[in-house]
Amino acid sequence: MTPLEAQEMAVQASHALAAGGHQDMVWGHAAVRDPQGRGIWIKAPGWGLEEVDRTRLQLVSFDATVLAGTGPPHKECHIHLEVLLARPELVCSVHTHARSAVAFAALDVPLLALSHEGALFGGDDVPRFRETGALVSTPELGETLAATLADAPAALMPKHGLVAAGRSVPAAVMHAVLLERACQIQLAAMAAGHIRTCSDMNEARAKRAECWPESQLEAGWRYLLRRAPGAMPS
């Protein structure tokens, strides 16, 4: 990947998240690792996910200095900087305020494998970052969040939102979208009554491998790009 390609992927990640229902006015962001090791490409503050283009990106160094683009860095750039510092194999990280994720996290109940989406975690509960419900505005909070996420596809941030990551940009975006959908499905089931059936650990692990290989994450990503605002018919 070249720096120009990384910029384009940061734009596409923003648009795909918007198409997946993660827009929150000007809040939430995706970050793509700069292939030259300089930091991350991320949208500049003040723009909605669906509004992002290359002129509205920043290159932010791992010490939170804006190297390219205009304005100050995001207050929560430390989410992405520390997640990507902690795991060199990751290419992309995502932070949004997805509504179902916020609502579900408030219940403080385990996320169950009720659906294909719920099986993303292989029958394990989704990690939860409990250090603060306020902004992750320091490297120290970013480090704690990265440790909470560890090698999971995504984590809930109770009272705040979610964080997701991936070895590819499509994977990171889809992990965020799938966590939000899993939370939405479980909220609907719990509102209707007592949950009586879900996949056990063995079935959930098998479903994760079958339903969410890289090829399926890529297919979901391409669909979101086709649905993105301003997308041209393929």
Side-chain angles (χ1 to χ4, degrees):
M1 186 186 299
T2 67
L4 193 61
E5 288 169 336
Q7 292 173 58
E8 182 58 30
M9 293 301 281
V11 171
Q12 290 185 354
S14 299
H15 293 176
L17 286 166
H22 284 243
Q23 67 270 44
D24 180 23
M25 293 193 281
V26 300
W27 300 288
H29 20 79
V32 176
R33 187 188 296 276
D34 177 65
Q36 295 180 349
R38 295 172 294 176
I40 58 172
W41 290 98
I42 185 172
K43 75 178 181 70
W47 298 104
L49 291 168
E50 70 280 6
E51 297 179 299
V52 178
D53 60 27
R54 262 196 223 124
T55 69
R56 294 168 179 170
L57 292 177
Q58 295 175 330
L59 174 61
V60 180
S61 70
F62 285 108
D63 64 1
T65 300
V66 176
L67 302 178
T70 59
H74 277 283
K75 292 180 180 179
E76 291 196 299
C77 66
H78 301 288
I79 292 174
H80 308 285
L81 296 173
E82 298 303 326
V83 166
L84 296 180
L85 274 172
R87 293 179 57 193
E89 76 278 13
L90 295 178
V91 171
C92 179
S93 54
V94 168
H95 169 58
T96 72
H97 305 142
R99 293 182 180 182
S100 293
V102 174
F104 179 78
L107 301 179
D108 202 20
V109 298
L111 183 68
L112 303 175
L114 303 185
S115 62
H116 294 341
E117 293 89 344
L120 175 67
F121 296 90
D124 292 324
D125 191 13
V126 59
R128 288 165 168 82
F129 172 69
R130 302 183 187 276
E131 189 75 10
T132 182
L135 298 183
V136 180
S137 56
T138 67
E140 293 76 20
L141 286 171
E143 285 182 27
T144 303
L145 175 56
T148 299
L149 177 64
D151 61 355
L156 290 172
M157 303 168 68
K159 302 172 283 185
H160 189 161
L162 62 79
V163 63
R167 295 171 184 255
S168 68
V169 178
V173 168
M174 286 298 296
H175 289 162
V177 170
L178 293 170
L179 174 55
E180 164 74 351
R181 287 166 60 97
C183 291
Q184 186 178 44
I185 290 167
Q186 188 161 335
L187 285 170
M190 293 173 69
H194 180 68
I195 294 175
R196 299 182 183 277
T197 183
C198 64
S199 293
D200 62 19
M201 185 73 75
N202 289 334
E203 184 174 70
R205 287 175 177 168
K207 285 184 67 175
R208 178 180 180 178
E210 184 176 28
C211 297
W212 304 123
E214 193 70 29
S215 61
Q216 289 302 297
L217 297 176
E218 180 79 28
W221 155 265
R222 289 196 301 269
Y223 169 79
L224 291 174
L225 289 181
R226 293 195 298 271
R227 296 274 297 179
M232 297 294 291
S234 56

